[in-house]
Amino acid sequence: MSPAMNILAVEETKEKEEQIESRYQKGVGHLCESGITSIPRKYVLPVSDRPFFGKKEEKIDQNLNLPIIDFAQLQGSNRSQVLKSLANACEDYGFFQLVNHGIHSDIIQHIIEVGKLFFKLPFEERAKYMSTDMQAPVRLGTSFNQNKDGVFCWRDFLKLSCHSLSTDIPSLWPSSPVDLREAASNYSKQAMFLYQLLIGAILESLGIVNENNDNNNFKEFEDGSQLLVLNCYPSCPEPDLTLGMPPHSDYGLLTLLLQDEVKGLQIQHQEKWLTVEPIPNSFVVNVGDHLEIFSNGRYKSVLHRVLVNSSKSRISVASLHSLPYSSKIQPSPNLINESNPKLYKDTDFATFLEYLSSCEHKSKSFLESRKLIN
């Protein structure tokens, strides 16, 4: 074969590879709409990373009943006891279920329903919001980090920046379905108000502030960032070979997660992967990396992942909260002394985004990079 033909063959192969890669960048929903009956190799995990690795043919579904925090009691005379339960949940599990939270079920159902409708829109309509810019105020994407993932996960998402709803940001959100902006705006405001009360209780459980949040630094927590993420995990023809999301920890302070009735969320507890049992009209709340750093390791961000299944699609809505993007996250000086030395470097969102864009994010790799003592 002549050198010219060799060059042509290489260029043709490269063009085909780019076409295939472009197909995956359009998302799992687009892939499913083509009528696939098996998953492409791009989504097939190495054997050791598959959800049922080591369990042979027996797929024992071990369900986990997380600690339950009754938010109504947290606001009442039983607050001190509930604060102890809250501290234990953050230390032992890094997760808890929040019930009686005060957000009306209509608001919750509305955001779930518009999420389902959005991911059922024609691809051309959804594609208007596709972006690989991690700081875009609205971003449709796929996998975990589609810019870096070697193997893609079975997930599409819509991320909405919510940290300044008084500005024109909601006008940038999708206009279809027609009530998405209204549903997302109403829900995000309620979730932010709930977060503010909850983070106040968590800081109180750490001994940082009192019940009235009488601390100059609390305003930074109140005025923090918020990102709303609508996740869609389409039904998968070969769910044993892939994951909806790989094992990871969340980067912020707290995540408030709404699940629909379809199971899928698993957390790692005592070296086992356990499925979180959905409780209707409740939130699954988890500690993020920033809260682990702020608490100097007392409260743990915990690895979690998402399973997919062959019969049902799953929708979840995550509200991720942390300090303002410009703020430094550092261990609280109130929790550092001779017997409890500082365990983490100071960090900020710019450092996190730079890390995320430069390498494939795995497990708790970012948090590990912040540790002073290993």
Side-chain angles (χ1 to χ4, degrees), residues 170 328 364:
K328 279 191 175 182
K364 295 177 68 170

Side-chain angles (χ1 to χ4, degrees), residues 163-178:
H163 62 280
S164 185
L165 285 176
S166 60
T167 69
D168 294 332
I169 282 180
S171 67
L172 303 175
W173 294 351
S175 56
S176 184
V178 291

Side-chain angles (χ1 to χ4, degrees), residues 163 192 195-196 199-200 203 208-209 212-225 253 294 322-325 327:
H163 62 280
M192 174 58 90
Y195 156 77
Q196 290 171 340
I199 195 65
L203 295 179
I208 303 297
V209 299
N212 298 316
N213 300 324
D214 187 17
N215 186 294
N216 292 332
N217 294 326
F218 183 70
K219 184 169 176 55
E220 196 172 32
F221 287 86
E222 280 194 317
D223 297 339
S225 62
L253 287 168
F294 180 81
S322 196
L323 297 180
Y325 289 126
S327 297

Side-chain angles (χ1 to χ4, degrees), residues 89-371:
C90 292
E91 290 175 359
D92 298 339
Y93 289 85
F95 274 80
F96 56 89
Q97 298 263 36
L98 190 70
V99 299
N100 294 329
H101 45 70
I103 298 181
H104 199 280
S105 60
D106 288 351
I107 292 176
I108 288 174
Q109 285 305 311
H110 198 192
I111 190 65
I112 292 286
E113 289 305 316
V114 296
K116 290 179 179 178
L117 291 172
F118 175 82
F119 289 109
K120 289 179 180 177
L121 290 173
F123 172 73
E124 292 73 21
E125 183 66 26
R126 302 196 306 268
K128 295 176 183 177
Y129 306 99
M130 279 192 164
S131 173
T132 56
D133 179 5
M134 292 184 179
Q135 300 187 58
V138 55
R139 178 182 170 220
L140 177 69
T142 190
S143 194
F144 187 80
N145 178 3
Q146 67 199 78
N147 301 324
K148 292 292 179 180
D149 291 346
V151 177
F152 273 21
C153 52
W154 203 258
R155 169 212 186 205
D156 292 340
F157 62 81
L158 177 67
K159 293 186 176 181
L160 304 174
S161 178
C162 307
H163 62 280
S164 185
L165 285 176
S166 60
T167 69
D168 294 332
I169 282 180
S171 67
L172 303 175
W173 294 351
S175 56
S176 184
V178 291
D179 50 352
L180 185 146
R181 291 178 181 175
E182 178 188 1
S185 181
N186 289 339
Y187 176 77
S188 61
K189 289 175 183 177
Q190 292 288 315
M192 174 58 90
F193 181 70
L194 179 61
Y195 156 77
Q196 290 171 340
L197 295 175
L198 196 54
I199 195 65
I202 285 176
L203 295 179
E204 188 179 345
S205 74
L206 285 167
I208 303 297
V209 299
N210 59 30
E211 185 176 351
N212 298 316
N213 300 324
D214 187 17
N215 186 294
N216 292 332
N217 294 326
F218 183 70
K219 184 169 176 55
E220 196 172 32
F221 287 86
E222 280 194 317
D223 297 339
S225 62
Q226 181 186 19
L227 184 67
L228 202 64
V229 185
L230 283 69
N231 297 299
C232 178
Y233 306 97
S235 57
C236 177
E238 297 177 290
D240 294 1
L241 302 182
T242 191
L243 283 167
M245 287 190 77
H248 68 284
S249 59
D250 292 348
Y251 62 84
L253 287 168
L254 286 180
T255 299
L256 280 62
L257 179 74
L258 281 180
Q259 300 190 85
D260 63 11
E261 72 284 357
V262 181
K263 292 181 185 179
L265 176 64
Q266 289 193 319
I267 76 166
Q268 194 173 67
H269 182 63
Q270 297 179 351
E271 300 184 355
K272 293 181 180 179
W273 285 107
L274 303 174
T275 302
V276 175
E277 193 71 28
I279 297 177
N281 201 37
S282 72
F283 286 94
V284 176
V285 181
N286 65 280
V287 171
D289 292 347
H290 291 171
L291 184 52
E292 179 168 333
I293 292 172
F294 180 81
S295 68
N296 203 38
R298 179 174 164 186
Y299 291 170
K300 302 293 186 184
S301 67
V302 172
L303 287 179
H304 50 290
R305 67 183 187 182
V306 178
L307 303 182
V308 291
N309 68 81
S310 59
S311 59
K312 293 181 178 180
S313 294
R314 178 174 177 269
I315 292 284
S316 69
V317 182
S319 187
L320 289 85
H321 300 265
S322 196
L323 297 180
Y325 289 126
S326 58
S327 297
K328 279 191 175 182
I329 295 93
Q330 59 189 339
S332 170
N334 297 325
L335 301 175
I336 297 172
N337 52 45
E338 287 186 10
S339 59
N340 294 294
K342 183 177 179 179
L343 299 180
Y344 303 88
K345 304 173 189 175
D346 296 356
T347 190
D348 54 23
F349 271 101
T351 303
F352 171 74
L353 290 173
E354 181 181 351
Y355 182 91
L356 198 62
S357 61
S358 64
C359 61
E360 187 174 356
H361 185 57
K362 292 184 176 180
S363 300
K364 295 177 68 170
S365 54
F366 175 71
L367 187 63
E368 293 297 324
S369 74
R370 299 292 90 199
K371 286 187 175 180

